């Protein structure tokens, strides 16, 4: 008999997606602002907040998905679902790679430095916005609903197995 899957904190994962979307909106606004008017105190604070979020909370979110959401779907026997999950895993790598280029530029803005190349920053922001936006869209339209359904099914199955039969 297979062990029941580990509990997945979907409420926390869903809440993190909301936070990611908010930070992506702020990142887009920051890119516009520094392009139009340069770096000021507001831009510095925005950059610091965005950098801290994507360097911490967002990375932890990806680790949680890799540990608890993706493995059961990869083992599901559904080839199309497994391919979608492998694509999301690849996205995590691309997101991280893009972030490693973007984060130092945000730290520079947060510190009021102007060593970053504006066109490179703007391009990096656009790539990051599109990559993360597309990634979340696939998770929310396919992966999370499928994972939630499978988790509910596993709980129901476990509950029915632990209910004593009537004599």
């Amino acid at each position: 008999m297979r062990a029941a899957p580990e509990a997945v904190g979907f409420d926390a994962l869903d809440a993190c997606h909301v936070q990611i979307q908010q930070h992506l909106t702020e990142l887009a606004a920051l890119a516009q602002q520094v392009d139009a008017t340069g770096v000021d105190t507001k831009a510095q604070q925005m950059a610091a907040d965005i950098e801290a979020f994507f360097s911490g909370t967002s990375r932890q979110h990806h680790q949680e998905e890799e540990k608890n959401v993706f493995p059961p779907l990869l083992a599901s026997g559904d080839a199309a679902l497994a391919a979608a999950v492998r694509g999301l895993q690849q996205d995590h790598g691309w997101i991280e790679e893009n972030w490693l280029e973007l984060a130092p530029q945000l730290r520079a803005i947060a510190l009021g430095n102007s060593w970053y190349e504006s066109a490179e920053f703007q391009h990096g922001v656009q790539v990051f916005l599109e990559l993360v936006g597309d990634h979340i869209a696939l998770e929310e339209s396919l992966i999370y609903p499928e994972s939630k359904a499978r988790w509910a099914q596993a709980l129901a199955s476990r509950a029915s197995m632990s209910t004593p039969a009537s004599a």
Side-chain angles (χ1 to χ4, degrees):
M1 173 159 79
R2 285 181 34 179
E6 184 177 332
V8 177
F10 286 110
D11 289 343
L13 291 170
D14 289 337
C16 192
H17 275 188
V18 170
Q19 293 175 339
I20 290 170
Q21 294 288 12
Q22 291 168 340
H23 283 85
L24 291 174
T25 299
E26 291 173 12
L27 179 59
L30 174 65
Q32 265 188 324
Q33 179 182 337
V34 298
D35 190 45
T37 61
V39 177
D40 60 13
T41 305
K42 179 182 173 190
Q44 287 179 270
Q45 186 59 55
M46 286 175 69
D49 292 345
I50 293 164
E51 192 278 329
F53 176 81
F54 283 110
S55 288
T57 302
S58 183
R59 280 180 166 156
Q60 292 166 356
H61 172 82
H62 289 167
Q63 290 171 354
E64 179 74 15
E65 289 174 337
E66 295 280 349
K67 178 182 175 191
N68 293 316
V69 177
F70 294 169
L73 300 177
L74 287 168
S76 70
D78 182 327
L81 184 61
V85 171
R86 284 191 297 278
L88 290 171
Q89 289 175 313
Q90 186 176 29
D91 284 355
H92 282 171
W94 289 114
I95 290 167
E96 180 66 13
E97 186 174 315
N98 188 251
W99 182 247
L100 291 174
E101 294 179 19
L102 192 56
Q105 297 171 56
L106 284 165
R107 284 192 293 276
I109 292 169
L111 295 171
N113 296 328
S114 58
W115 60 258
Y116 67 94
E117 165 57 41
S118 180
E120 183 180 321
F121 176 69
Q122 296 298 324
H123 176 73
V125 166
Q126 276 310 115
V127 169
F128 192 74
L129 292 173
E130 290 173 20
L131 183 57
V132 175
D134 290 347
H135 179 84
I136 288 176
L138 180 56
E139 285 181 342
E140 290 184 351
S141 67
L142 175 64
I143 300 304
Y144 278 23
E146 186 67 31
S147 186
K148 288 174 184 179
R150 288 171 185 268
W151 174 247
Q153 184 179 16
L155 287 178
S157 177
R158 185 171 15 155
S160 70
M161 290 174 57
S162 66
T163 304
S166 298

